[in-house]
Amino acid sequence: MSQVYLNGQFVPPDQARVSVFDRGFIFGDGVYEVIPVFGGRLFRLAHHLSRLDASLAAIRLRNPHLTEEWKSIFTRLLTGHANGDQSIYLQITRGVAPRDHAFPPNATPTVFAYAQSLSYPPAEQLAQGVAAITTEDIRWRRCDIKSIALLANALLRQQAIEQRAAEAILIRDGVVTEGAASNIFIVKGDRLSTPPKGPFILPGITRDLIVEIACAKNIVCDELPIKAEMLQSADEVWLTSSIKEILPITRIDGKPVGKGKPGPMHARLFALYQEYKQAFIQGRAE
Ligand code: PDD
């Protein structure tokens, strides 16, 4: 990583300095985005920036930059990077102030961003799928905010890793919400389902694109509550995110999902998703 962006400057990562009194450090008081970059183009940028606006509005911070300013920051971060796919991480905190829970009246938000190579799930995971556990969703009631306060998500993911699983599927009041860092889809017959948007899930950009692609191809895709027991009887279960794209989950809590291997609907949607990406790279899709 050659340079990172911090508060108006591009500096080598080891020269980027943030105060120990930054509210991001003290309270986790900030929001973030992860934007994939394919063929040098920022994928679904408008969607990511609109989710950023929603997160900022929810924590009552003003967006410090206009879209054009964000674009020029990202473009500069991406120069000098190899041609492969990249991702942009950006984070905005409420800034530096004496420690007090109440909002500081005059703090300037801290803005940080960097680019790094995207590392996709290994081919073996795509071919065989991954294991997941189910566990109680111990998070708060504003999971729609892309908050940097990810302690619960980190604990939940770690719980999965310690049980040799790749992801934790979270259950709140008997229904599936999402993964520790992903959205969840199930397939039953020729129907796709994913939990509805609301305060208990992050409105994933990948999730929305899959719903959009499914609709365009006349594949039924319900956005309805998924009861935990529906995971057991599903033919296929997937996790989705900007980084993992669409990854089949083939074991849940030690039991096989469907036939225990990635299914035909995954193959279809994965191919359509890759087709969409190619069209995007060639400037034929946004
Ligand atoms: N996380 N739900 C949660 C809790 C997430 O953290 C993520 C992504 C998603 C999927 O959202 P999207 O499709 O927009 O990537 C859903 C990112 C990648 C991260 O924290 O690194």
Side-chain angles (χ1 to χ4, degrees):
M1 191 185 310
S2 47
Q3 296 211 307
V4 301
Y5 173 87
L6 181 65
N7 299 331
Q9 297 197 307
F10 293 87
V11 291
D14 59 356
Q15 283 171 35
R17 296 273 181 277
V18 178
S19 164
V20 290
F21 288 103
D22 192 279
R23 286 178 65 98
F25 183 57
I26 297 282
F27 291 119
D29 184 356
V31 297
Y32 76 107
E33 271 299 323
V34 179
I35 309 169
V37 181
F38 304 130
R41 297 190 70 208
L42 292 142
F43 194 54
R44 304 237 120 186
L45 178 65
H47 298 74
H48 282 280
L49 290 182
S50 123
R51 184 172 66 184
L52 176 67
D53 275 334
S55 294
L56 286 168
I59 71 163
R60 292 196 268 151
L61 269 185
R62 222 170 43 86
N63 191 331
H65 293 300
L66 302 169
T67 298
E68 288 312 309
E69 294 169 342
W70 282 121
K71 276 192 195 160
S72 78
I73 293 169
F74 300 155
T75 306
R76 172 123 178 229
L77 286 173
L78 290 166
T79 52
H81 273 270
N83 289 333
D85 296 341
Q86 309 286 323
S87 71
I88 295 279
Y89 175 88
L90 81 89
Q91 159 169 333
I92 303 164
T93 77
R94 204 177 302 279
V96 180
R99 185 178 182 279
D100 180 351
H101 289 65
F103 293 174
N106 299 313
T108 306
T110 300
V111 183
F112 169 57
Y114 68 91
Q116 66 176 1
S117 298
L118 247 182
S119 50
Y120 293 111
E124 188 205 322
Q125 285 194 351
L126 264 178
Q128 289 170 20
V130 295
I133 59 164
T134 55
T135 188
E136 190 195 341
D137 192 342
I138 56 170
R139 302 172 305 160
W140 67 332
R141 291 169 169 268
R142 286 309 305 270
C143 300
D144 54 320
I145 301 172
K146 203 159 170 61
S147 161
I148 60 167
L150 290 172
L151 180 57
N153 304 63
L155 288 171
L156 292 160
R157 171 63 68 79
Q158 187 60 24
Q159 195 182 325
I161 299 301
E162 286 168 9
Q163 293 180 49
R164 297 215 193 116
E167 184 58 303
I169 301 176
L170 310 180
I171 312 293
R172 190 191 284 262
D173 298 331
V175 299
V176 175
T177 53
E178 59 181 341
S182 58
N183 292 110
I184 300 292
F185 283 76
I186 69 167
V187 178
K188 186 77 190 165
D190 51 10
R191 288 183 101 83
L192 265 177
S193 306
T194 194
K197 289 188 196 174
F200 297 129
I201 72 163
L202 185 79
I205 307 299
T206 320
R207 170 203 182 278
D208 285 358
L209 178 55
I210 293 166
V211 172
E212 205 178 297
I213 292 174
C215 260
K217 297 289 171 187
N218 292 320
I219 300 167
V220 180
C221 184
D222 301 320
E223 296 179 68
L224 293 170
I226 298 175
K227 291 202 181 112
E229 46 286 10
M230 288 161 77
L231 291 169
Q232 263 96 57
S233 58
D235 299 326
E236 300 180 31
V237 177
W238 316 331
L239 65 80
T240 70
S241 80
S242 296
I243 308 293
K244 308 269 185 193
E245 302 197 323
I246 315 175
L247 192 58
I249 295 174
T250 44
R251 290 189 83 75
I252 298 179
D253 297 331
K255 296 189 206 91
V257 175
K259 297 197 170 86
K261 51 187 187 71
M265 189 69 105
H266 175 264
R268 183 159 181 215
L269 262 290
F270 186 81
L272 288 169
Y273 187 84
Q274 299 306 324
E275 219 173 80
Y276 186 95
K277 257 172 70 175
Q278 283 314 312
F280 169 79
I281 291 168
Q282 291 157 12
R284 290 183 286 111
E286 269 319 299

